[in-house]
Amino acid sequence: MLLKRYIPIGIVAFFGSLTLFGWFIENESIESFVNDDATQWYDIIASFAIFLGALNLLKLQFLKVVKRQSGWQYSVVAIASFFFAFTIGFFMKGAFFVGEDVYFTQKAAEQAILVSGSSEAVRAVEWGAHISTEGGLFKWMFDSIFTPLSATMFALLAFYVASASYRAFRARNFEATLLLLAGIIIMLGRVPVGSLITPWMVMYLLVFVGTIFMNTYFKDRKLIFGSFVLGLLGVTALGMSMDWNPTQPAIFFLPSLQEWIYTVPNLAGARAIMIGIGLGIIVTSLRYIFGLEKSYIGDQ
Amino acid sequence: MNNKRMKTYSLGFLGIALFTFALTQLPDSVHIFQSDRAVMFTLLLTIIMVMLNEVKEARISTDSIFLRTIPGLKAVEEAVGRSTEMGRPILYVPGIMDMNEVETVAGVIILGHVAQMTAQYETSLDVPVARSIVMQAARESCKEAYLTQGRPEMFNEDMVHYVTDDQFAYAAGVNGIMQRDKPAACMYMGKFYAESLLFAETGNSIGAIQIAGTASQAQIPFFVTACDYTLMGEEYFAASAYLSRKPELIAGVKTQDTVKLMLISFIGIALLSRALSDLGFTSFNLLTWLGL
Amino acid sequence: MKFLEDMILRFGSIDRRFIFILIGLAVFLPLLRPIDLPIRTTPTTEKVYNAIEAIPANSKILMSFDYGPSTKPEIHPMTLGVMRQLLRKDHQIYITCLWPDGLYMALDALEEINKEFELVEYEDYVLLGFRPGNEAIVKGLASDLRKVYTVDSKGTMLSDIPMMDDVNNLKDFQFIFTGSAGYPGTFEWVQYGGDPTGVPLSSGTTSIQVNEVMPYVQSGQVKGILAGMPGAAEYEKLIGTPGIAIQGMAAQSFAHLVIVLFIILGNLAYFITERRERKY
Amino acid sequence: MAFSTILGAWIAAFLTLGILSYLYRDNPFYKIAEHIFVGVSAAYWAATFYWTQIYPNLFGRLFPKDGPLAFIAEVDFNHEFNVLYFFPLLLGIMMLLSIFRQFNWMARWGIAYTVGIAAGLKAYGYLNSNVLSQISASAVDIFSGSLPFFNMSGDSVFNNIVILVGTISALMYFYFSREQSGSYGKFTRLGIYFLMISFGASFGFAVMGRISLLIGRFNDLILFSSSDYNYGTFWMMLFIVVILGFWSFQNPEKKEG
């Protein structure tokens, strides 16, 4: 009970209050713990833990292969790639210098010396530095396997964001309409094409959309047609009086309008969320430190 | 806020302010307090005071505390029910960050409540995680949940399993799980980055009920548009209190509310003081005085 | 009218793979044959430009490369632009990286800049390099830089670098700029770097982060912000050196137009179905 | 160009197209790319964490040059010997031991430490930058008379009032212990509108960012399709399209309700 329950709770309380109140105490060793060691220690623990995860991954994939579950062939791929990368990371330095040139293996480096007949000696990179040496095997793996995979997964999002905006961006109610309009205005106003759309086009469009809306609410055709014509004439008259200025009136000019939305109403919403999240995190953290919530260590 | 609380808090605040003031006045020979952080210190102690008082009150009786409904939380149980009917698993993603993010811890705690429901309904639960420490914590939390529901035999350690630490590799792996296992309900509770949309869109394409909860501001819009229910920002932190109905946790929500009111009143006072000084009635500006 | 409505409805039920192809083409085609579009600068970008322009010549500037290859298209043009603007006024640049691959990005940027400026290491810049620890690094820099960095990225002792003589913590810099793609990034620099030390801080971020950082910009905790690739393009225009960001703007504009078109069509289809269901 | 560079470009092109093929549907190429990704990345991060954390920061402090334990091993990273670092070592080893069922509980210590410092560190950072600074920035300038009444960009009295009302009403939306009805309900409704505009703006920015990244990816594919890389993109594309075509011919898509 002591080891399983009280010590963990004590650890949370002790380190929680130390890092929290450490900010207010003027003492060098506490300050250096709060500023530096506390997070370093976490990083170290997390680095140990990652091996636990890797073992779990291997176990599940091996089980799939052994039990011949559907798609077990792919599990073989996963296991093989794991060991491939693990070997490169832990057992091969993968970077041997001859002067400024880098070779993946000792042999290739020696070969290169033989070919060029230079008097340089082969210099292996230090352990630890081998993962960040430009031209080394680990960096090669990073560039040709890791980077394209993660960058492409990231780029898939462009397609998904398109299909999501098509499918889910519906003006179901007033809130959804606001979300949609703000999104569209930002999307158009932020890119160069937005400044090619003059306020006048937007105003004509508004007259048009307004008429469609009226059409759904009023049934009087004369009234609708009348206001449509009046709207068109009004916009045209205003346009002629302002010489069709391409950036005025600013409220209908997308780049200006997006700037206003972005710095005013958007800011208000974003700030409220920020304060809310801040409060949520502070109170939740205090709950952990004071031991009011302990279920993350299996203590209901 | 009733009068009694108001009185307690005013007195408490006064005490804290005096205490902080005393600390700033300590002679130079006793260097223990960072005086330039006095305002922060006062605020922090005030929040702690409010929290401890609310916990004390809540332990006496929780009946008096009203909490408005949050639709997303009701939906959790419905989703578990629907998965049971369809005989398909529930997928729970506790975010992609480690336990050093408060959001992740909250996600693991909510997982405990979901696990209690799946234990009751005898539905299978699948929790892929991106961090090993989260894996261990989530296991502890699930095991305990199955134990309290009297179904320890249904708990299987591998229902919580590690995929990889890498953001997009994890996203690819979870996408694969969704495509091949076709869960009936997907829940995303934790800290998310760009992968949120990958999850939500794939979940959508397999027709799962989706419930999301996150404090990652940039990802909330995706969840709002693509998921059935979303707990956004502060709602997410209140979720575990709603689900557990434990007095200590409800007191936490109440604390958030009380502090919120205090902060709004502070904005009001600061505005007033600024207006008075701007209009030339006084030369005192609260914010400048506090050094904010 | 009926015919038009049916067309829209049919479009409303198309396979999403069709949308994927369209969006792919909308990005790909303008890249093959770029068109010049007028770039308008926004006040938040101008704020960054003006803040950097106002730094007295020969100052010490800290630049942090907090991004990796996957977000390179957005952030890299910004860091290049900022470096150009700084070097024109002979500022000294100190480079740190909170992301491991940030180091590669910095090396890449220096190589690119070297083509126009003939940089001299340890006179124009020091590449301090990557240190693991996320926000702990920012906190460490704020209190004592030499605890975090004893050597630079090449392994040279800091005490042997004359440029480092008067640099002991963040307060010794006149300006901080971070090119940030997420965690750790702008937030950590604000919370543990800029706010506690009061050194002016500015940031270039991925588009997605802009909104989260915006309240900091309004309150002045961050001096202006470069928002995604369009922000980078505006900045390239302000410093008068067009680069890859401006080149990408045609593709960016087209793709946005296509997406807006999708949204409009999707909503039209939605309205038509709603109305028909109501009628019958 | 070196063979490894060209091989790298071909592999990169294959993996890029393999992932992109997911847009068509879940298929063997995507599955291969996905499993490679999961396997490689797990080992990649294990190696990166070990060599950037455990090796320099833990061993570097326990076995520094000239340190008391230098007779066991020497890991020189200019650190001084620090006996406190036995504590994270202990927690790390306990974390590893927790793989055995009877030692499951050992993980709790590490979890507890992680949660503890996270709670302490985050609470301060958020209190300072998210709450206090934002609250004080909300006390906006309305009465000084130095601002114009309305302005599309930049400060103005009108804008400041909108920001103030918006912030407070949206903050009240997150007030839990009161039913949102009556005139109070209307006020929080207003708050939701501000939140929605903010989400819309975020969505717009997100679209922008995602497209920029796609531009970057296409630029790479265009680069790899050049003769310098032996037209890697083209060959890989041809390969994948042909096989994928054949595969979907053999496995026609099942329609699910």
Side-chain angles (χ1 to χ4, degrees):
Chain A
M1 215 45 186
L2 176 74
L3 291 176
K4 293 183 189 177
R5 184 144 186 266
Y6 295 117
I7 291 187
I9 295 173
I11 290 179
V12 176
F14 176 73
F15 284 103
S17 8
L18 185 65
T19 42
L20 182 59
F21 291 104
W23 285 97
F24 304 102
I25 299 172
E26 208 152 353
N27 175 310
E28 211 167 296
S29 46
I30 291 181
E31 259 175 85
S32 88
F33 177 78
V34 172
N35 283 332
D36 189 22
D37 295 333
T39 354
Q40 296 267 4
W41 290 12
Y42 152 70
D43 284 328
I44 290 168
I45 298 168
S47 310
F48 275 101
I50 195 170
F51 290 95
L52 206 63
L55 283 176
N56 182 252
L57 174 76
L58 285 179
K59 175 184 145 195
L60 291 184
Q61 300 287 354
F62 264 120
L63 278 181
K64 250 189 175 168
V65 178
V66 173
K67 290 187 186 161
R68 290 281 193 276
Q69 280 170 356
S70 75
W72 63 272
Q73 299 92 335
Y74 299 109
S75 297
V76 177
V77 174
I79 295 168
S81 348
F82 179 87
F83 282 112
F84 168 75
F86 198 79
T87 315
I88 292 180
F90 286 97
F91 304 112
M92 289 171 75
K93 282 188 172 174
F96 295 88
F97 281 92
V98 177
E100 290 282 297
D101 298 328
V102 191
Y103 297 89
F104 286 171
T105 56
Q106 175 98 27
K107 230 182 204 159
E110 281 163 1
Q111 198 83 38
I113 292 180
L114 278 183
V115 172
S116 65
S118 81
S119 55
E120 299 246 18
V122 178
R123 191 161 48 82
V125 78
E126 291 282 320
W127 280 117
H130 71 296
I131 59 165
S132 60
T133 303
E134 192 79 44
L137 192 54
F138 198 81
K139 181 71 180 15
W140 178 85
M141 178 179 80
F142 178 80
D143 283 339
S144 33
I145 300 179
F146 194 78
T147 306
L149 280 168
S150 54
T152 315
M153 277 308 284
F154 214 149
L156 274 191
L157 286 168
F159 297 98
Y160 276 44
V161 96
S163 84
S165 24
Y166 175 66
R167 199 181 37 68
F169 239 36
R170 297 277 157 95
R172 281 187 203 91
N173 48 35
F174 186 63
E175 283 94 341
T177 314
L178 277 179
L179 195 152
L180 194 113
L181 284 178
I184 291 184
I185 293 170
I186 293 276
M187 261 183 248
L188 289 180
R190 276 261 141 187
V191 288
V193 96
S195 54
L196 297 179
I197 303 171
T198 64
W200 309 102
M201 293 186 198
V202 176
M203 282 158 83
Y204 280 122
L205 194 73
L206 280 180
V207 172
F208 210 70
V209 174
T211 315
I212 294 176
F213 261 97
M214 278 178 73
N215 197 16
T216 46
Y217 291 108
F218 302 101
K219 287 289 150 228
D220 187 344
R221 297 211 164 214
K222 263 185 210 158
L223 178 79
I224 294 165
F225 188 71
S227 37
F228 179 62
V229 172
L230 216 66
L232 285 187
L233 285 178
V235 173
T236 315
L238 192 66
M240 282 161 80
S241 72
M242 291 178 72
D243 270 344
W244 303 106
N245 185 328
T247 60
Q248 290 293 333
I251 12 172
F252 295 112
F253 185 47
L254 291 177
S256 312
L257 183 59
Q258 74 80 21
E259 188 68 29
W260 185 77
I261 289 183
Y262 161 64
T263 49
V264 182
N266 163 46
L267 175 81
R271 176 171 284 162
I273 299 176
M274 194 179 234
I275 298 174
I277 291 173
L279 276 180
I281 288 194
I282 294 158
V283 174
T284 314
S285 304
L286 291 175
R287 281 200 324 232
Y288 302 152
I289 296 175
F290 283 82
L292 298 175
E293 171 106 80
K294 317 179 270 282
S295 56
Y296 52 89
I297 42 172
D299 199 297
Q300 292 288 333
Chain B
M1 232 190 298
N2 55 29
N3 280 336
K4 193 179 143 229
R5 283 210 169 112
M6 193 89 117
K7 205 171 136 196
T8 319
Y9 293 152
S10 316
L11 283 178
F13 178 74
L14 212 65
I16 289 166
L18 280 176
F19 173 63
T20 316
F21 180 74
L23 281 177
T24 57
Q25 298 304 312
L26 286 176
D28 279 350
S29 52
V30 207
H31 256 317
I32 52 163
F33 186 67
Q34 300 248 5
S35 301
D36 49 338
R37 289 176 179 160
V39 179
M40 285 276 303
F41 188 65
T42 318
L43 181 59
L44 181 66
L45 287 189
T46 310
I47 297 177
I48 293 176
M49 165 193 73
V50 173
M51 189 177 78
L52 294 180
N53 186 53
E54 291 294 345
V55 170
K56 198 186 86 195
E57 299 275 326
R59 278 187 179 148
I60 298 169
S61 142
T62 45
D63 304 338
S64 61
I65 301 180
F66 170 85
L67 291 184
R68 74 171 165 84
T69 49
I70 298 180
L73 286 171
K74 282 194 164 168
V76 171
E77 186 143 14
E78 283 168 33
V80 177
R82 201 179 91 138
S83 307
T84 317
E85 279 167 29
M86 296 176 70
R88 293 210 211 136
I90 288 181
L91 184 82
Y92 189 100
V93 180
I96 61 155
M97 298 303 279
D98 212 334
M99 290 297 273
N100 69 337
E101 293 289 338
V102 179
E103 284 106 309
T104 315
V105 187
V108 170
I109 290 167
I110 298 174
L111 170 65
H113 296 289
V114 174
Q116 288 188 7
M117 293 178 203
T118 56
Q120 273 172 19
Y121 285 85
E122 305 188 2
T123 309
S124 61
L125 176 67
D126 187 21
V127 188
V129 299
R131 306 282 163 158
S132 311
I133 302 183
V134 180
M135 175 174 82
Q136 294 301 58
R139 279 181 180 167
E140 294 284 334
S141 174
C142 284
K143 191 157 75 182
E144 190 65 25
Y146 277 86
L147 212 67
T148 49
Q149 293 299 317
R151 308 304 302 269
E153 79 287 352
M154 273 180 67
F155 173 75
N156 164 16
E157 216 177 50
D158 290 330
M159 63 175 37
V160 181
H161 59 98
Y162 173 85
V163 180
T164 163
D165 263 58
D166 187 71
Q167 180 186 13
F168 286 108
Y170 176 71
V174 173
N175 263 357
I177 293 174
M178 284 189 196
Q179 282 287 348
R180 284 144 224 163
D181 296 350
K182 302 259 187 303
C186 301
M187 297 181 201
Y188 317 108
M189 306 271 176
K191 195 166 180 70
F192 291 91
Y193 288 90
E195 68 293 335
S196 65
L197 182 65
L198 288 173
F199 294 154
E201 272 291 287
T202 309
N204 218 302
S205 72
I206 57 166
I209 297 188
Q210 305 196 88
I211 304 170
T214 186
S216 317
Q217 196 180 339
Q219 308 307 331
I220 296 176
F222 297 116
F223 284 142
V224 168
T225 46
C227 293
D228 300 279
Y229 297 96
T230 308
L231 307 171
M232 42 192 191
E234 213 182 337
E235 285 179 338
Y236 171 62
F237 292 109
S240 66
Y242 272 76
L243 289 170
S244 72
R245 301 297 305 179
K246 272 199 280 190
E248 290 88 354
L249 303 187
I250 291 175
V253 178
K254 189 78 186 136
T255 311
Q256 273 161 259
D257 278 354
T258 311
V259 174
K260 214 172 295 156
L261 283 186
M262 290 176 167
L263 291 174
I264 291 175
S265 341
F266 177 78
I267 296 181
I269 297 169
L271 265 178
L272 187 72
S273 127
R274 178 170 188 166
L276 289 178
S277 92
D278 281 347
L279 292 171
F281 291 120
T282 54
S283 56
F284 172 78
N285 185 337
L286 182 67
L287 289 179
T288 338
W289 183 70
L290 289 175
L292 293 174
Chain C
M1 196 64 183
K2 181 94 180 10
F3 172 73
L4 197 70
E5 285 187 1
D6 284 339
M7 283 288 285
I8 293 172
L9 276 187
R10 195 167 310 150
F11 187 82
S13 58
I14 51 159
D15 200 313
R16 62 177 193 165
R17 282 174 276 194
F18 187 63
I19 296 175
F20 292 159
I21 292 180
L22 280 182
I23 200 76
L25 287 178
V27 173
F28 190 66
L29 294 180
L31 280 183
L32 293 180
R33 201 168 279 278
I35 325 163
D36 272 338
L37 287 170
I39 312 265
R40 268 175 70 92
T41 54
T42 53
T44 39
T45 311
E46 285 159 16
K47 221 187 246 175
V48 178
Y49 178 81
N50 293 336
I52 294 181
E53 206 55 26
I55 310 168
N58 301 314
S59 294
K60 295 179 168 52
I61 316 291
L62 183 97
M63 278 187 81
S64 191
F65 282 64
D66 309 328
Y67 61 100
S70 56
T71 43
K72 191 177 170 190
E74 285 190 276
I75 316 284
H76 211 56
M78 301 174 187
T79 45
L80 288 177
V82 170
M83 278 181 140
R84 289 196 172 103
Q85 194 187 354
L86 289 175
L87 289 167
R88 281 179 200 161
K89 280 223 172 162
D90 292 326
H91 296 305
Q92 294 175 316
I93 304 178
Y94 299 76
I95 299 172
T96 57
C97 315
L98 298 182
W99 288 36
D101 13 6
L103 178 64
Y104 306 134
M105 298 296 119
L107 285 169
D108 214 68
L110 286 170
E111 197 183 313
E112 179 83 25
I113 293 290
N114 204 13
K115 289 178 195 157
E116 357 175 340
F117 284 94
E118 291 175 11
L119 296 173
V120 184
E121 191 169 14
Y122 304 144
E123 275 179 33
D124 296 316
Y125 73 93
V126 180
L127 178 55
L128 293 166
F130 166 71
R131 288 288 179 283
N134 305 333
E135 62 265 33
I137 298 302
V138 182
K139 276 183 271 174
L141 291 176
S143 57
D144 187 358
L145 184 139
R146 275 154 214 274
K147 254 192 174 166
V148 184
Y149 290 100
T150 42
V151 293
D152 78 342
S153 65
K154 277 197 176 162
T156 315
M157 297 295 285
L158 291 198
S159 44
D160 299 338
I161 303 174
M163 240 178 109
M164 295 301 304
D165 278 353
D166 313 319
V167 181
N168 294 312
N169 59 39
L170 280 188
K171 285 189 184 141
D172 296 320
F173 295 101
Q174 276 75 46
F175 199 82
I176 303 171
F177 182 86
T178 153
S180 144
Y183 172 84
T186 312
F187 266 70
E188 285 64 37
W189 279 105
V190 173
Q191 294 185 350
Y192 307 109
D195 277 2
T197 59
V199 179
L201 165 77
S202 191
S203 174
T205 66
T206 52
S207 310
I208 185 102
Q209 274 190 298
V210 173
N211 236 1
E212 281 182 296
V213 181
M214 205 43 210
Y216 289 151
V217 177
Q218 197 270 344
S219 60
Q221 288 161 285
V222 176
K223 311 275 175 270
I225 184 172
L226 303 180
M229 204 188 231
E234 290 169 26
Y235 198 75
E236 284 178 354
K237 190 190 169 196
L238 282 174
I239 60 165
T241 317
I244 39 174
I246 288 187
Q247 276 168 28
M249 276 308 99
Q252 185 95 43
S253 297
F254 265 104
H256 284 205
L257 274 182
V258 169
I259 288 180
V260 169
L261 213 66
F262 281 149
I263 296 178
I264 293 173
L265 281 175
N267 274 288
L268 281 180
Y270 172 71
F271 277 120
I272 294 169
T273 3
E274 285 273 288
R275 215 185 43 183
R276 288 194 176 172
E277 274 166 11
R278 226 183 302 154
K279 265 186 192 163
Y280 307 124
Chain D
M1 215 171 281
F3 172 71
S4 62
T5 317
I6 293 175
L7 179 71
W10 278 55
I11 293 177
F14 171 76
L15 294 174
T16 302
L17 294 170
I19 294 278
L20 283 180
S21 73
Y22 181 66
L23 292 174
Y24 171 60
R25 59 193 259 212
D26 194 18
N27 68 68
F29 285 112
Y30 174 74
K31 286 184 193 163
I32 290 176
E34 173 204 322
H35 283 84
I36 290 180
F37 198 5
V38 168
V40 167
S41 68
Y44 170 86
W45 284 108
T48 308
F49 273 112
Y50 180 81
W51 293 113
T52 60
Q53 296 291 352
I54 298 184
Y55 189 64
N57 289 339
L58 180 64
F59 294 161
R61 283 188 173 91
L62 293 180
F63 310 108
K65 210 164 100 183
D66 310 324
L69 297 176
F71 63 90
I72 301 173
E74 236 180 57
V75 181
D76 183 24
F77 278 89
N78 277 315
H79 287 307
E80 281 178 14
F81 177 72
N82 191 338
V83 72
L84 285 179
Y85 274 71
F86 277 109
F87 184 67
L89 177 68
L90 173 76
L91 292 189
I93 291 173
M94 284 174 75
M95 191 59 93
L96 283 181
L97 286 178
S98 72
I99 197 167
F100 302 107
R101 193 147 297 172
Q102 65 271 36
F103 294 136
N104 265 180
W105 59 271
M106 284 193 169
R108 290 183 181 187
W109 289 32
I111 297 170
Y113 175 79
T114 310
V115 173
I117 61 142
L121 293 176
K122 300 280 165 184
Y124 178 85
Y126 278 92
L127 190 61
N128 186 17
S129 300
N130 276 35
V131 177
L132 209 54
S133 303
Q134 293 307 317
I135 288 289
S136 62
S138 299
V140 283
D141 181 359
I142 296 177
F143 297 103
S144 74
S146 61
L147 293 179
F149 177 71
F150 180 76
N151 203 343
M152 279 301 274
S153 64
D155 287 348
S156 72
V157 174
F158 178 77
N159 289 353
N160 279 347
I161 293 175
V162 173
I163 292 177
L164 181 68
V165 173
T167 309
I168 293 180
S169 60
L171 204 52
M172 287 313 282
Y173 169 76
F174 293 114
Y175 192 79
F176 300 103
S177 41
R178 189 168 166 186
E179 193 65 66
Q180 296 181 339
S181 57
S183 53
Y184 168 72
K186 283 201 184 106
F187 187 59
T188 54
R189 193 89 264 163
L190 183 69
I192 299 182
Y193 297 156
F194 278 96
L195 291 178
M196 286 296 155
I197 293 179
S198 184
F199 293 151
S202 284
F203 200 103
F205 277 112
V207 170
M208 192 163 108
R210 302 313 180 222
I211 299 291
S212 305
L213 297 179
L214 189 62
I215 292 175
R217 210 77 282 268
F218 276 167
N219 274 336
D220 274 4
L221 280 181
I222 293 173
L223 178 73
F224 292 149
S225 65
S226 70
S227 60
D228 289 348
Y229 293 91
N230 295 354
Y231 311 102
T233 309
F234 288 129
W235 290 115
M236 283 299 166
M237 185 121 101
L238 193 70
F239 175 66
I240 286 184
V241 167
V242 168
I243 305 266
L244 205 58
F246 184 69
W247 174 80
S248 32
F249 192 67
Q250 300 259 305
N251 300 276
E253 207 162 356
K254 279 182 237 117
K255 282 266 182 268
E256 289 198 32

